Amino acid sequence: MTKTADSKVLKNRTIANVYLGLMIVLMYVPIVLVIIYSFNESKISSVWAGFSLKWYEELFRDRSMLDAAINSLILATVSSFLAAIIGTLAAVGMPKAKLITKGLIEYISTLPIMIPEIILGMVFLAFFTLLRLPFGMVTLTIAHTSFCIPYIYMLVKARLVGIPKSYAEAARGLGATEWNVFFDITLPLIMPAIVSGMLLSFAMSLDDVVISVFVTGVTTNTLPLKIYTQLKTGVTPKTNALCTLMFVITLVVLLLSSWVSRKSPITTGRRETHEKPSENRLSVDPVG
Amino acid sequence: MTDIILQLVQIRKSFGDTTVLDGLDLSVRRGEFITLLGPSGCGKTTTLRIIAGLEIPDSGQVILEGKDVTYDEPNKRNVNMVFQNYALFPHMNVEQNISYSLRLRRVDKATIRKTVEEALELVQLEGFEKRMPNELSGGQQQRVAIARAIVNQPAILLLDEPLGALDLQLRRQMQMELKRLQKRLGVTFIYITHDQEEALNMSDRIAVMRNGQFEQIGTPAEVYSRPKTSYVARFVGSANILTGTITGVNGKLARFENHNGIAYISAQDAPVTAGQKVTIAVRGEMVKLTPEYLDHPERPGHPEQPDHPQYPDQPEHPDHPEHLHHPEYPDHPKHIDRREHLEHLAGLRAVVKDKTFAGGVLQVTLELSDGSEMVSKLHGIDLPFAPGDRVIASWEPENAVLVDLEETA
Ligand SMILES: Nc1ncnc2c1ncn2[C@@H]1O[C@H](COP(=O)(O)OP(=O)(O)OP(=O)(O)O)[C@@H](O)[C@H]1O
Ligand SMILES: [Mg+2]
């Protein structure tokens, strides 16, 4: 009995290990290679000619590349902020709304996560053309904000579910208006979700190619677009350097995001339940 | 009139198809400790939430300090609520939690510091200002929640099972502390519990609730000793409920009869007439048990035996029909006040079904001859009853209470 169970566990573990190995090889080996070759002295990617930072120097001398990088940073910052505001308001406000179509609205607003990006891009293109909006930073911002909203919305909503209704009710009883409750109770408690949603949005916006291709203007370039066009003219180690930088930025942002959400007061609040037995000590000394 | 702080008038509330509160009336006096007692789902929390303004009744009025506040926002009412899960704000420390209501009112910093200090002293948590809620034990969180609710001096404090999550020992201790606090502050407490012992210990008045209505409102003594209905009797102190017919009334005493035997009840509080069908409630601790063989005339020491010191003129076996109208029978005018007789003669026949020992009390479950069950709570360990024994269950007439009488007055 135990033997078969053991061998089953062993088998499961083997499968898990194989899966993990494949994941690492397929996903991380290329990344590591890109990072290594970004420090390559040689112009030919496949030949190692010694360590050098010259591709990074060249990268920072490239005016158009820098412009694209700045565009990308502005775009990611602005659209993640806008998405944070809209997504949070939607998540907080939706439960209070008494609409029959509430379920439908919720479904629609999370749909962009499931729709293929290429379709979203085409939709944005058609929409902006219809509105006769000049393609450029504005259209990019609108598009990026829209595809970021669902992430913020879902994260904040999940966090809201974990907040007992009694917090707000207790506050109301103590004299708080609905606004007081939002700013004093709800907002601080959902802040970790908003921040991690924003960081996620930032990362998503920073590396978006597909949607950006459709909605960017002739003269506006974002970093991923720039790299994409470079690919057609052949990969130089300069591209490797750029990819490395972007990888580092994205990584930092995502690490920050998970760090912030781990620090939230609600998750740490679970300790209460584990501490219950220690109450006995109280009956001896009420002051503790 | 002035000392009525809160009035609920014909409050009705339903959620969807279920009617939760069905024409609730309640008057609460200033400074009193009133407990809403009732089983799960009877609408206690809903009542409290309506008082707090967290719920709007479908109809009826909430009158707080003479003013109709039925539709006022929660923050416009001078009442605070203590929740069962305490609802301390997890991102604020103890001091910030307690001072929240004061900060909303923009009270100056020095006053806030002083008030928080006093409140913490009151709940015996001096020096806990900077702790976060998750660094407190359940009992300490409870105290902070209470401190937070009293600093802005509400007219009424609403407490929804505030001790529900605590263990028994701590609960006892907090019961006394809460009561002491309430006395000291003079704040009106409306308290919810479904622990009848807690209600009896702490309250000035108890409102027993059933299906969204109050079944009886009275002092703990009234509710406990003079339940108006079998529901109250059963819920508060789990009394035995018996139905039968009155077969004779004589002044203060009435004879109660059913398939299981005869019992005597006091007819002082409620007039009864012969032939009337009644329901009576008798608490387990009032039910005495006598082994049936004691009743046997052959038994040495039985009153009929000449050497019995206590019952020299004991008639023949009481349950025998022929003797019911015998002049020696206890409800005969001649004997009406001779308690010894009643006690010995009256009784319901039963068989011991089960016995359990808990907290110094032996709880004996009896099966009456008609199959219904009855409980007797006896003090002492060394009692000679074992499952299967035939016994006679009896009680003092004044310990049986007539319940479920039609309201005619
Ligand atoms: N928001 C709500 N929506 C629907 N039904 C509700 C709601 N709140 C309460 N109820 C129902 O109303 C009834 C009374 O609820 P209430 O919370 O007042 O009971 P209670 O007496 O406090 O019970 P307990 O002792 O279990 O806390 C229950 O049947 C409950 O299911
Ligand atoms: Mg309740």
Side-chain angles (χ1 to χ4, degrees):
Chain A
M1 191 62 194
T2 38
K3 202 157 187 187
T4 50
D6 273 354
S7 66
K8 205 168 182 183
V9 170
L10 213 68
K11 205 170 147 197
N12 280 345
R13 203 172 290 161
T14 322
I15 292 173
N17 284 339
V18 168
Y19 177 72
L20 190 67
L22 270 176
M23 282 296 288
I24 287 175
V25 170
L26 289 179
M27 291 197 54
Y28 291 98
V29 170
I31 293 177
V32 173
L33 284 179
V34 165
I35 293 174
I36 291 172
Y37 281 117
S38 73
F39 297 106
N40 193 0
E41 173 74 45
S42 158
K43 201 176 165 64
I44 306 148
S45 286
S46 48
V47 183
W48 181 258
F51 182 84
S52 124
L53 287 176
K54 80 173 193 202
W55 300 114
Y56 286 88
E57 280 164 29
E58 215 165 288
L59 181 67
F60 284 109
R61 258 196 313 252
D62 186 338
R63 189 68 229 168
S64 68
M65 196 66 102
L66 276 185
D67 280 347
I70 289 167
N71 274 348
S72 264
L73 285 176
I74 292 174
L75 180 61
T77 311
V78 171
S79 49
S80 61
F81 260 100
L82 287 177
I85 293 170
I86 299 170
T88 304
L89 287 182
V92 173
M94 201 64 86
K96 298 207 171 84
K98 290 193 174 62
L99 294 171
I100 318 165
T101 49
K102 204 159 87 180
L104 187 68
I105 292 176
E106 253 177 36
Y107 184 67
I108 289 179
S109 46
T110 52
L111 211 53
I113 291 182
M114 287 167 277
I115 297 179
E117 284 194 341
I118 189 136
I119 294 176
L120 268 187
M122 280 159 60
V123 168
F124 280 129
L125 178 65
F127 182 63
F128 294 144
T129 314
L130 200 70
L131 289 184
R132 294 174 196 284
L133 278 178
F135 286 88
M137 276 307 263
V138 174
T139 46
L140 275 170
T141 308
I142 295 175
H144 281 218
T145 304
S146 346
F147 78 70
C148 288
I149 288 174
Y151 294 95
I152 308 255
Y153 177 82
M154 295 216 301
L155 281 168
V156 172
K157 207 180 124 190
R159 172 53 56 109
L160 279 172
V161 168
I163 300 178
K165 211 172 52 167
S166 56
Y167 291 168
E169 291 177 345
R172 292 282 275 143
L174 293 168
T177 60
E178 296 271 6
W179 281 110
N180 292 142
V181 170
F182 179 74
F183 285 110
D184 298 342
I185 313 295
T186 315
L187 197 57
L189 291 178
I190 58 175
M191 200 39 103
I194 299 177
V195 172
S196 54
M198 271 176 67
L199 295 175
L200 190 63
S201 300
F202 186 89
M204 302 269 300
S205 164
L206 199 62
D207 72 0
D208 178 76
V209 177
V210 182
I211 292 177
S212 301
V213 165
F214 284 92
V215 296
T216 188
V218 199
T219 51
T220 325
N221 238 338
T222 66
L223 208 47
L225 286 181
K226 183 84 185 165
I227 298 171
Y228 186 68
T229 36
Q230 273 198 354
L231 281 181
K232 289 181 197 152
T233 56
V235 191
T236 66
K238 200 163 79 177
T239 318
N240 287 342
L242 188 57
C243 284
T244 305
L245 281 182
M246 283 190 69
F247 175 73
V248 170
I249 292 174
T250 314
L251 195 68
V252 166
V253 165
L254 286 179
L255 284 179
L256 262 180
S257 147
S258 68
W259 181 70
V260 166
S261 61
R262 192 148 339 127
K263 239 186 77 175
S264 82
I266 293 182
T267 349
T268 50
R270 295 233 180 87
R271 264 186 59 207
E272 293 166 32
T273 38
H274 298 302
E275 280 207 335
K276 274 284 147 60
S278 67
E279 276 163 20
N280 279 333
R281 141 182 74 103
L282 249 188
S283 47
V284 186
D285 176 14
V287 189
Chain B
M1 191 59 221
T2 46
D3 83 322
I4 297 293
I5 196 166
L6 173 82
Q7 243 182 319
L8 299 183
V9 185
Q10 282 297 303
I11 299 285
R12 276 173 211 285
K13 176 79 187 174
S14 23
F15 292 107
D17 287 342
T18 47
T19 303
V20 176
L21 299 182
D22 193 9
L24 206 69
D25 286 308
L26 181 71
S27 291
V28 180
R29 301 178 196 130
R30 189 177 293 276
E32 87 170 322
F33 192 125
I34 187 165
T35 299
L36 308 188
L37 180 66
S40 194
C42 70
K44 304 181 295 291
T45 300
T46 309
T47 309
L48 229 55
R49 291 173 61 82
I50 284 175
I51 299 172
L54 299 170
E55 217 81 69
I56 303 285
D58 300 338
S59 68
Q61 285 174 294
V62 180
I63 297 167
L64 181 66
E65 299 188 295
K67 195 171 140 259
D68 187 337
V69 297
T70 318
Y71 303 102
D72 286 6
E73 298 270 296
N75 50 325
K76 298 276 182 270
R77 303 179 188 206
N78 198 12
V79 298
N80 279 345
M81 189 148 164
V82 175
F83 292 82
Q84 182 171 357
N85 63 0
Y86 319 134
L88 296 181
F89 309 133
H91 58 298
M92 298 186 193
N93 64 24
V94 168
E95 183 178 16
Q96 291 164 330
N97 260 287
I98 296 178
S99 63
Y100 185 63
S101 61
L102 304 174
R103 286 187 281 136
L104 282 172
R105 293 211 322 256
R106 311 220 180 283
V107 175
D108 64 280
K109 285 223 171 73
T111 316
I112 289 182
R113 264 247 306 285
K114 205 168 127 269
T115 317
V116 169
E117 219 164 81
E118 283 169 6
L120 280 176
E121 196 190 315
L122 205 61
V123 297
Q124 303 176 11
L125 282 179
E126 296 97 332
F128 277 66
E129 282 90 346
K130 300 293 174 227
R131 292 269 195 107
M132 295 305 281
N134 62 17
E135 296 164 352
L136 299 174
S137 75
Q140 289 165 340
Q141 288 181 40
Q142 175 66 78
R143 289 158 208 256
V144 174
I146 290 167
R148 183 178 70 178
I150 58 178
V151 287
N152 66 343
Q153 297 170 330
I156 302 179
L157 199 58
L158 308 168
L159 301 105
D160 191 352
E161 298 193 41
L163 309 182
L166 305 181
D167 64 54
L168 197 66
Q169 212 179 355
L170 186 60
R171 204 174 158 140
R172 290 276 144 73
Q173 186 197 334
M174 285 295 292
Q175 281 177 14
M176 301 200 313
E177 271 180 38
L178 266 182
K179 182 70 193 166
R180 176 185 59 87
L181 198 69
Q182 190 259 341
K183 280 255 169 64
R184 189 161 150 193
L185 294 170
V187 177
T188 310
F189 271 37
I190 302 181
Y191 190 94
I192 288 188
T193 179
H194 48 229
D195 177 346
Q196 49 108 352
E197 203 177 310
E198 194 169 299
L200 292 169
N201 280 344
M202 302 175 79
S203 326
D204 295 323
R205 284 198 302 157
I206 295 176
V208 184
M209 222 175 156
R210 175 194 197 180
N211 296 338
Q213 278 178 328
F214 289 121
E215 190 99 344
Q216 184 173 358
I217 304 176
T219 63
E222 277 167 6
V223 173
Y224 187 80
S225 319
R226 295 277 152 228
K228 283 213 183 89
T229 64
S230 51
Y231 175 84
V232 174
R234 217 174 286 152
F235 197 78
V236 184
S238 49
N240 296 296
I241 308 295
L242 305 162
T243 53
T245 315
I246 298 294
T247 55
V249 184
N250 198 306
K252 290 185 263 174
L253 284 183
R255 188 176 55 216
F256 168 95
E257 234 181 294
N258 67 14
H259 291 299
N260 308 305
I262 298 172
Y264 288 86
I265 62 176
S266 163
Q268 249 169 332
D269 294 340
V272 286
T273 52
Q276 188 179 343
K277 292 227 179 295
V278 293
T279 306
I280 62 170
V282 190
R283 306 215 165 267
E285 51 270 41
M286 301 301 179
V287 177
K288 280 175 262 179
L289 298 185
T290 329
E292 199 181 49
Y293 66 80
L294 285 181
D295 247 12
H296 200 279
E298 312 265 302
R299 177 190 150 264
H302 186 275
E304 215 176 86
Q305 300 291 321
D307 61 335
H308 193 282
Q310 252 186 318
Y311 307 101
D313 53 352
Q314 172 70 27
E316 282 178 56
H317 196 287
D319 286 352
H320 210 267
E322 279 102 341
H323 300 284
L324 284 179
H325 300 290
H326 194 279
E328 303 281 352
Y329 197 74
D331 69 348
H332 191 276
K334 202 176 119 198
H335 294 290
I336 202 70
D337 273 336
R338 298 185 60 173
R339 195 58 52 66
E340 309 88 23
H341 283 269
L342 297 176
E343 196 186 316
H344 195 79
L345 293 171
L348 307 183
R349 300 160 161 284
V351 176
V352 175
K353 206 174 156 191
D354 189 23
K355 63 175 186 179
T356 51
F357 191 75
V361 175
L362 182 73
Q363 177 166 326
V364 183
T365 308
L366 307 169
E367 187 173 331
L368 299 175
S369 49
D370 66 354
S372 59
E373 278 191 3
M374 200 170 158
V375 168
S376 168
K377 289 177 185 159
L378 307 166
H379 285 277
I381 307 172
D382 207 12
L383 293 160
F385 303 108
D389 283 1
R390 302 192 146 274
V391 293
I392 305 283
S394 64
W395 52 86
E396 302 279 351
E398 69 268 21
N399 289 334
V401 185
L402 277 161
V403 293
D404 296 346
L405 293 169
E406 295 294 314
E407 303 258 331
T408 44

